[in-house]
Amino acid sequence: MKKVYTCFCTDVIHEGHLNIIREARKYGEVTVGVLSDEATIRFNRFPTISLEERINLVKNIPGVKDVVIQDEVMYDRIFETLHPDYVIHGTNWQEGALAAIRSNVMENCRKYGAQMIEVPYTYNESVKKIDERTVDRLAMPEFRRGRLRKLLAIRPIVKIMEVHSGLTGLIVEKTVVQERDGLDQYDGMWISSLCDSTDRGKPDIELVDMTSRLRTIDDVMEVTTKPIILDGDTGGLTEHFVYNVRTLERAGVSAVIIEDKTGLKKNSLFGTEVKQTQDTIENFCNKIAAGKKAQRTDDFMIIARCESLILEKGMDDALTRCRAYVKAGADGIMIHSRKKDPKEIFDFCDAFRKTDPTTPIVVVPTSYNQVTAEELAAHGINIVIYANQMMRAAYPAMQNVAEEILKNHRSMEIEKQLMPFKEIIKLIDEI
Ligand code: SPV
Ligand code: MG
């Protein structure tokens, strides 16, 4: 009996999957691989049911002989261990990021003398509805909110990208790339005070109020499913912060990061060039504790951001503060630096991890941009935030187009640098 292999990366079995199994049966005994959570979240949506539940779903399909866990996006290990004679998949992997998986299977088929079979991808009204229902579920506050904690348990380092609008949210939601060991995508989104303010033409001094920030959050949430971390500036008055915690939690935000500054907050990238005052440990701890007391769910995270290195107060001050913030209830700490290399961040993390092996550490490597996510993870860092690159990419492009049209009295000269709207709107889902 020949061995036929197919891999499912789904939370719902629909007619498309049944069709694949029917076809597969024509060639031999069917083994289905269920993609692990770790592998799934590298290129697909976050699973809405557990791996065990997904395995059970597949086990119950008539015609399935065996079920295995596939824990890598690419099929090398499957070929090595299972030696399938056939691999069967829907034609949907001929395009986009999935094409890399198809190439990998083709290569392995050649190497092992197996055969690849493609069946027409089933996409009709009923499949579309199932698909949409899954997306809706992932986008709901109660499902979205807890996903950051889940990612922290699964990912070696959680990768977060800045967004400041529905469109930037969609880009981060849908960008999947092929990289060294398979495919990858962002895990979540950062709503930066700097970019949210800049997009409104305002300075980053806590001038854009929470009502406006919530407008941005809502715009992003309407069109995405990934978890959101909000840059909460100083958190404002403790008496206000406790209300905002509940509002953010109810909206489905996963975490708020508040920084230990007081008075008129300026952006950290200015460092000591502008006057900035750090809050006392006691006050800031009280704010953290009050926020933790106010929150209603276990999902929501309050992350304490320490500005000691930015304000050149030294490593000991940074360590003392961060340890105190954790004691006060912070679910994570963010340590910030504006140095051109990551040494002080690494020194901090190595020292912090000696006494605290578990509290999540967040960093924002804007100035020390040579550091890779893997290097950060090796120093015990759990979340990396690319805090402003989307806006910094858009701004020079927009300024250039404005200048060129004015100079040339027409837009023809700049046209080749512009994306046709037909391409842009591919991002936007139709209901
Ligand atoms: C932001 O993105 O608004 C931040 C990060 O607070 S930083 O600009 O580096 O201070
Ligand atoms: Mg900020």
Side-chain angles (χ1 to χ4, degrees):
M1 198 62 162
K2 298 278 186 194
K3 264 197 213 164
V4 193
Y5 182 79
T6 188
C7 180
F8 284 177
C9 170
T10 187
D11 301 346
V12 185
I13 302 297
H14 56 61
E15 58 189 281
H17 302 106
L18 300 179
N19 184 41
I20 286 185
I21 301 296
R22 239 184 342 259
E23 281 302 309
R25 288 263 289 155
K26 294 179 187 166
Y27 296 87
E29 268 177 8
V30 183
T31 300
V32 180
V34 174
L35 207 61
S36 67
D37 290 353
E38 292 88 329
T40 300
I41 59 175
R42 291 183 66 132
F43 76 98
N44 206 327
R45 293 185 206 118
F46 201 96
T48 57
I49 55 172
S50 70
L51 179 65
E52 288 68 35
E53 287 170 310
R54 301 202 295 283
I55 291 171
N56 278 333
L57 274 184
V58 174
K59 265 190 188 152
N60 289 326
I61 305 175
V64 173
K65 170 95 187 346
D66 264 325
V67 180
V68 296
I69 298 168
Q70 181 174 329
D71 50 23
E72 286 169 0
V73 175
M74 296 305 178
Y75 283 51
D76 307 69
R77 193 93 63 87
I78 289 295
F79 274 90
E80 260 170 54
T81 52
L82 286 183
H83 301 292
D85 299 292
Y86 299 95
V87 170
I88 185 163
H89 198 284
T91 46
N92 57 319
W93 70 353
Q94 290 173 356
E95 279 172 22
L98 293 189
I101 304 178
R102 182 174 184 261
S103 301
N104 171 267
V105 169
M106 271 203 303
E107 228 171 78
N108 275 304
C109 281
R110 229 173 284 134
K111 188 169 156 194
Y112 290 91
Q115 213 178 311
M116 188 170 95
I117 302 154
E118 291 178 307
V119 294
Y121 183 58
T122 310
Y123 200 74
N124 53 27
E125 270 310 307
S126 120
V127 173
K128 185 168 175 247
K129 214 174 243 158
I130 290 171
D131 215 37
E132 283 169 355
R133 228 178 284 150
T134 313
V135 174
D136 284 349
R137 192 155 182 236
L138 285 171
M140 287 298 160
E142 62 273 32
F143 284 103
R144 192 193 302 243
R145 195 194 302 116
R147 221 169 304 134
L148 182 62
R149 281 197 193 271
K150 289 186 183 153
L151 282 160
L152 279 165
I154 301 174
R155 281 289 229 179
I157 184 160
V158 174
K159 293 178 198 160
I160 303 287
M161 181 52 137
E162 177 262 315
V163 303
H164 52 268
S165 61
L167 185 63
T168 50
L170 274 174
I171 292 173
V172 174
E173 177 82 8
K174 298 196 180 186
T175 298
V176 180
V177 295
Q178 189 183 355
E179 45 99 71
R180 272 163 286 165
D181 56 337
L183 298 173
D184 207 8
Q185 63 176 328
Y186 289 106
D187 298 301
M189 301 172 285
W190 164 246
I191 301 197
S192 147
S193 69
L194 176 61
C195 299
D196 208 357
S197 307
T198 306
D199 201 44
R200 294 177 157 84
K202 297 273 174 71
D204 180 21
I205 52 170
E206 293 192 271
L207 172 66
V208 177
D209 66 358
M210 189 53 81
T211 308
S212 311
R213 306 290 309 280
L214 283 164
R215 184 65 252 162
T216 308
I217 293 170
D218 194 46
D219 285 348
V220 172
M221 281 190 164
E222 276 218 50
V223 294
T224 62
T225 65
K226 292 188 178 182
I228 291 177
I229 303 178
L230 177 74
D231 174 358
D233 286 318
T234 65
L237 293 173
T238 300
E239 292 83 346
H240 295 175
F241 181 56
V242 289
Y243 282 92
N244 288 333
V245 162
R246 288 204 181 157
T247 307
L248 295 171
E249 206 182 1
R250 195 173 54 247
V253 169
S254 300
V256 64
I257 300 187
I258 53 168
E259 59 191 277
D260 56 1
K261 282 199 248 166
T262 189
L264 181 64
K265 189 223 74 159
K266 303 260 175 74
N267 186 271
S268 301
L269 300 172
F270 291 118
T272 50
E273 290 152 29
V274 293
K275 190 175 162 354
Q276 308 208 55
T277 317
Q278 208 169 10
D279 203 351
T280 63
I281 295 182
E282 194 191 355
N283 276 348
F284 198 62
C285 282
N286 285 341
K287 198 183 281 185
I288 295 164
K292 287 308 292 175
K293 195 160 160 242
Q295 79 179 59
R296 301 255 202 226
T297 68
D298 293 331
D299 295 338
F300 189 72
M301 297 175 77
I302 297 178
I303 298 174
R305 163 173 168 176
C306 175
E307 293 286 294
S308 299
L309 302 181
I310 293 281
L311 301 173
E312 295 173 11
K313 298 275 177 69
M315 193 60 70
D316 285 345
D317 186 66
L319 286 164
T320 306
R321 281 176 171 272
C322 287
R323 288 178 186 138
Y325 301 160
V326 173
K327 229 177 187 176
D331 300 292
I333 53 141
M334 173 183 149
I335 184 70
H336 206 12
S337 163
R338 60 197 280 263
K339 289 268 161 34
K340 290 264 179 254
D341 71 74
K343 187 178 174 309
E344 78 172 359
I345 287 291
F346 288 168
D347 288 348
F348 172 89
C349 294
D350 297 345
F352 184 79
R353 279 283 173 251
K354 278 199 185 122
T355 56
D356 186 334
T358 52
T359 301
I361 305 178
V362 184
V363 296
V364 176
T366 306
S367 56
Y368 49 103
N369 56 17
Q370 69 278 46
V371 74
T372 63
E374 292 71 27
E375 286 165 334
L376 295 170
H379 286 271
I381 291 159
N382 309 83
I383 300 180
V384 54
I385 300 178
Y386 300 100
N388 50 43
Q389 287 80 1
M390 295 283 272
M391 168 137 299
R392 284 163 60 204
Y395 177 77
M398 291 193 288
Q399 192 175 38
N400 182 40
V401 74
E403 282 174 13
E404 289 305 312
I405 293 174
L406 208 51
K407 274 189 212 158
N408 293 297
H409 301 209
R410 61 183 188 182
S411 64
M412 190 185 81
E413 284 72 13
I414 199 81
E415 195 62 38
K416 58 184 177 306
Q417 292 177 39
L418 306 179
M419 184 179 255
F421 237 99
K422 257 197 196 145
E423 285 296 312
I424 301 175
I425 59 174
K426 275 189 195 159
L427 258 187
I428 297 169
D429 294 322
E430 274 178 37
I431 296 179

